[in-house]
């Protein structure tokens, strides 16, 4: 008689439990909104996210007008980055803000809102956001909101022709996902002749270079390093006079930085100077703190999709805790955070909540702050004359 459950040998059952690796989410993908009236429409259709991986090809079909071409040039002068481009119709000045900000038309997102569909359509999530040359006050407000939705970070111009105007403008924002920059760079552009004068020098939005530099820092160093004090490629000067002194806060740069505006300086090359966001929460005053919080949240959340709908056994919780703590130790060793720890709390995990399939795991972390204010104490003394005679005799 045949016995289907009878086996003369060894059976092996594979159980996929234990600590799982959690890859850190990609942070260097740029989300760019801009105009290109004379581009090849089939390559950059309006209000549609397009993934740009080939800078030579993209620049060849963008035409000479609008903001996209010079912005992509500025980005590629800093690094080779993935850029999600949304082209908008510039329209008349009164309608430009609406075109850039966008919304939903017949179930389709338009303007910068189209970046929300990048993950579904292109498989990447833009986390470095900007609309250089188009970032008016309404656009900047919308950019900050979009950055919150995408767990990204936005860079925008501080509007105004003077230090006073720029610092006053900053007071209108409170988002931790936003950094304001003032003033702009100068660069050589042969296409600007004769509009920019016979030398071809024109003003270039600082935000365009910030997008590329942010991606470069993420690639070469990490998201825990701020944009400040890193040489910028491809620029020739600063569009406004900015008085800066490394040893004095009583300067234009000092006033701007104290108001949470990142400025531009020249010292062994041209650099951004300032690490502050516009956050009303001092815990996220630094760009690096905001981005560290975003990276940890997304890495840990997305790293646990596998756990959803698994049987809620104590072993599952142990596996999750071991995985999170392993990742936090890895990030600590790499210098990305000072430290962090995950734990299970009985206080928030009641019998009823566990019965209903709800589990809460706590974790904390400490981001690495930038060294912003360094003090040396210099003292003059005569004590080194004490052995003067002995040193004369010895020599």
């Amino acid at each position: 008689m045949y016995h289907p459950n009878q086996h003369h040998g060894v059976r092996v059952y594979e159980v996929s439990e234990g600590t799982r690796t959690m890859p850190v989410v990609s942070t260097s993908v740029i989300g760019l909104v801009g105009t290109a009236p004379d581009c090849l429409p089939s390559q950059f259709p309006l209000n549609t996210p397009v993934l740009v991986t080939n800078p030579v090809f993209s620049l060849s079909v963008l035409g000479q007008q609008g903001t996209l071409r010079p912005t992509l040039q500025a980005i590629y002068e800093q690094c080779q980055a993935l850029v999600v481009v949304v082209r908008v119709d510039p329209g008349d000045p009164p309608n430009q803000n609406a075109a850039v900000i966008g919304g939903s038309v017949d179930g389709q997102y338009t303007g910068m809102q189209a970046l929300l569909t990048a993950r579904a359509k292109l498989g990447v999530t833009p986390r470095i956001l900007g609309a250089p040359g188009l970032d008016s006050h309404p656009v900047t407000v919308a950019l900050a909101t979009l950055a919150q939705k995408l767990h990204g970070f936005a860079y925008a111009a501080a509007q105004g022709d003077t230090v006073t105007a720029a610092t006053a403008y900053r007071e209108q924002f409170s988002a931790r996902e936003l950094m304001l920059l003032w003033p702009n760079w100068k660069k050589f552009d042969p296409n600007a002749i004769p509009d920019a004068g016979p030398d071809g020098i024109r003003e270039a939005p600082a935000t365009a270079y910030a997008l590329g530099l942010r991606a470069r820092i993420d690639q070469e160093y990490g998201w825990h390093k701020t944009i400040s004090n890193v040489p910028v490629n491809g620029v020739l000067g600063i569009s406004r006079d900015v008085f800066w002194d490394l040893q004095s806060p009583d300067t234009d740069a000092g006033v701007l930085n104290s108001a949470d505006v990142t400025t531009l300086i020249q010292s062994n090359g041209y650099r951004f100077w300032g690490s502050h966001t516009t956050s009303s929460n001092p815990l996220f005053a630094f760009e690096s703190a905001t981005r560290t919080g975003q990276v940890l949240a997304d890495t840990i959340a997305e790293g646990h999709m596998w756990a959803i709908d698994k049987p809620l056994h104590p072993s599952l919780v142990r596996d999750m805790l071991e995985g999170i703590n392993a990742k936090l130790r890895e990030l600590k060793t790499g210098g990305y955070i000072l430290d962090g720890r995950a734990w299970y709390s009985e206080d928030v995990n009641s019998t009823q909540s566990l019965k209903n399939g709800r589990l809460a795991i706590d974790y904390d972390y400490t981001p690495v702050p930038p060294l912003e204010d360094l003090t040396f104490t210099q003292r003059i003394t005569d004590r080194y004359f004490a052995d003067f005679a002995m040193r004369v005799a010895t020599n």
Side-chain angles (χ1 to χ4, degrees), residues 12 39 69 92 152 203 220 226 291 339 364:
V12 176
C39 77
R69 181 183 178 89
D92 298 324
E203 187 170 325
E220 297 179 355
T226 71
R291 301 192 83 234
D339 209 345
D364 61 14

Side-chain angles (χ1 to χ4, degrees), residues 106-365:
D106 297 329
Q108 300 293 320
Y109 287 121
T110 63
M112 68 172 67
Q113 310 307 319
L115 290 173
L116 295 170
T117 68
R119 182 170 183 175
K121 292 182 176 180
L122 305 173
V124 297
T125 300
R127 298 181 186 271
I128 304 172
L129 309 177
L134 304 172
D135 42 4
S136 63
H137 186 191
V139 168
T140 300
V141 170
L143 266 176
T145 302
L146 183 70
Q148 293 171 0
K149 294 178 180 178
L150 289 170
H151 299 175
F153 199 90
Y155 299 87
Q159 301 296 328
D161 294 328
T162 65
V163 170
T164 301
T167 57
Y169 180 77
R170 178 264 174 270
E171 292 300 319
Q172 302 176 75
F173 300 93
S174 61
R176 70 177 190 174
E177 295 84 4
L178 175 66
M179 176 181 281
L180 295 177
L181 312 172
W182 190 91
N184 285 321
W185 295 113
K186 290 182 179 179
K187 73 161 296 178
F188 173 74
D189 182 2
N191 296 316
I193 301 173
D195 295 338
D199 57 1
I201 305 298
R202 66 169 179 83
E203 187 170 325
T207 49
Y209 291 85
L211 298 178
L213 185 63
R214 178 69 267 168
R216 186 176 103 203
I217 294 172
D218 282 12
Q219 293 170 1
E220 297 179 355
Y221 197 88
W223 34 263
H224 61 306
K225 165 71 179 82
T226 71
I227 201 173
S228 183
N229 199 17
V230 177
V232 178
N233 298 332
V235 298
L236 301 176
I238 303 172
S239 66
R240 298 285 189 277
D241 290 337
V242 177
F243 171 39
W244 170 78
D245 189 315
L246 182 62
Q247 298 185 52
S248 174
D250 300 321
T251 62
D252 293 337
V255 170
L256 288 162
N257 285 172
S258 66
D260 304 328
V261 177
T262 295
T263 190
L264 321 177
I265 67 167
Q266 192 279 322
S267 179
N268 293 322
Y270 292 98
R271 303 163 186 264
F272 290 102
W273 193 255
S275 300
H276 284 211
T277 72
T278 61
S279 176
S280 58
N281 185 344
L283 292 176
F284 295 99
F286 291 123
E287 172 196 24
S288 53
T290 295
R291 301 192 83 234
T292 298
Q294 293 172 333
V295 169
L296 286 180
D298 285 354
T299 296
I300 292 175
E302 294 183 17
H304 285 88
M305 184 174 176
W306 64 270
I308 300 301
D309 297 324
K310 285 280 178 41
L312 183 50
H313 290 296
S315 60
L316 177 66
V317 181
R318 286 197 302 271
D319 291 344
M320 295 169 68
L321 289 172
E322 289 172 3
I324 297 170
N325 282 319
K327 174 56 67 174
L328 293 173
R329 287 193 298 271
E330 176 189 324
L331 294 174
K332 175 186 175 182
T333 301
Y336 293 93
I337 60 174
L338 289 179
D339 209 345
R341 182 179 68 91
W343 67 92
Y344 173 86
S345 174
E346 289 188 54
D347 295 338
V348 296
N349 289 286
S350 66
T351 299
Q352 187 62 41
S353 64
L354 292 172
K355 179 181 176 181
N356 291 331
R358 294 196 297 267
L359 171 68
I361 291 178
D362 290 298
Y363 67 92
D364 61 14
Y365 70 97

Side-chain angles (χ1 to χ4, degrees), residues 86-101:
V86 173
R87 183 173 73 90
V88 298
D89 184 355
D92 298 324
N95 300 320
Q96 183 170 280
N97 288 336
V100 176
I101 295 170

Side-chain angles (χ1 to χ4, degrees), residues 15-30:
V15 179
S16 57
E17 296 179 353
T19 303
R20 299 197 179 208
T21 59
M22 283 181 283
V24 175
V25 294
S26 176
T27 61
S28 62
V29 180
I30 298 171

